[in-house]
């Protein structure tokens, strides 16, 4: 159908159809791979994050940090360290084997909470987590550590979540300066500063919102589910 249209819209339909055909024939999904999901599991994908699948917002960001994968993995694996550089997090508390309780700053000054579990892990390479049933925000994420030789390690964060109120609220968040990709990029810059210098720089009082410590190794851009899923 897309090929018959001979228009830009038809081309888009053709590309989308090709991607779906590839997914159906090979069973391979790049987004699931990045998040650490495996459809070989006997559970359905809908059970991976509780009753819903995190799909409304998709973000990928990366940065190079002058530390070894072992150091970075060890720091991140202690989830209670995350609020040190993730400003939207109030706390992360270990509640059991591979399980934790997360409290984050929500809209209107109200906190949102969820329980999460680590469902996939490769020492010094990757950690993947997902929210459990009953979460205020359905989400799933992973962090990957790739050696860069003399440049240290690339830390790549992949995050999927369902915005409270749906995709419209996600769009409004972008419009008013709380775009999720920007927040993750700033979090990674703070992580770099903390681990390389021992403290995070601040941009309070500066006329520009850009971080003077921004690094050229940052890659990626946020995508909505229409673009990726």
């Amino acid at each position: 159908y897309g090929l018959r249209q001979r228009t830009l819209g038809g081309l888009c339909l053709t590309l989308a159809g090709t991607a779906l055909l590839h997914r159906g024939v090979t069973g391979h999904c790049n987004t699931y791979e990045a998040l650490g999901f495996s459809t070989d599991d006997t559970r359905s994908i809908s059970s991976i994050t509780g009753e819903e699948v995190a799909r409304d917002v998709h973000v990928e960001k990366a940065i190079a940090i002058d530390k070894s994968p072992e150091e970075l993995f060890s720091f991140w694996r202690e989830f209670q360290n995350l609020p040190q550089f993730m400003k939207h997090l109030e706390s992360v508390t270990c509640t059991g084997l591979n399980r934790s309780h997360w409290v984050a700053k929500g809209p209107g000054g109200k906190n949102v909470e969820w329980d999460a579990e680590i469902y996939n892990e490769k020492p010094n390479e990757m950690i993947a987590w997902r929210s459990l049933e009953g979460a205020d925000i359905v989400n799933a994420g992973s962090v990957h550590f790739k050696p860069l030789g003399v440049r240290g390690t690339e830390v790549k964060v992949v995050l999927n979540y369902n915005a409270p109120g749906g995709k419209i609220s996600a769009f409004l968040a972008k419009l008013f300066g709380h775009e999720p990709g920007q927040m993750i990029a700033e979090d990674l810059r703070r992580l770099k500063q903390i681990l390389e210098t021992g403290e995070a720089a601040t941009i309070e009082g500066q006329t520009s919102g850009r971080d003077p410590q921004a690094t050229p190794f940052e890659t990626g851009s946020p995508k909505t589910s229409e673009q990726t899923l």
Side-chain angles (χ1 to χ4, degrees), residues 86-203:
M86 292 185 171
K87 294 303 182 182
H88 62 285
L89 283 181
E90 292 282 358
S91 65
V92 182
T93 306
C94 178
T95 58
L97 182 63
N98 290 336
R99 292 203 171 193
S100 52
H101 183 73
W102 299 54
V103 180
K105 300 173 184 177
K110 296 182 179 180
N111 286 344
V112 293
E113 303 184 29
W114 65 90
D115 290 315
E117 67 173 354
I118 296 174
Y119 65 88
N120 198 354
E121 183 175 9
K122 296 179 181 178
N124 306 323
E125 292 184 21
M126 183 265 286
I127 306 169
W129 64 92
R130 61 190 173 218
S131 61
L132 300 175
E133 186 174 355
D136 289 342
I137 297 180
V138 177
N139 66 89
S142 63
V143 57
H144 306 256
F145 308 96
K146 178 183 178 181
L148 295 176
V150 295
R151 291 189 294 162
T153 302
E154 180 192 71
V155 179
K156 179 181 179 181
V157 173
V158 181
L159 179 64
N160 272 28
Y161 73 91
N162 292 347
K167 298 176 185 178
I168 293 178
S169 69
F171 171 77
L172 291 176
K174 290 183 181 182
L175 189 64
F176 290 103
H178 299 288
E179 192 271 319
Q182 178 185 350
M183 289 194 298
I184 296 298
E186 291 172 354
D187 289 342
L188 288 175
R189 284 198 290 269
R190 278 189 290 268
L191 174 63
K192 178 181 176 72
Q193 292 156 2
I194 289 172
L195 294 181
E196 292 185 351
T197 69
E199 61 181 0
T202 177
I203 60 174

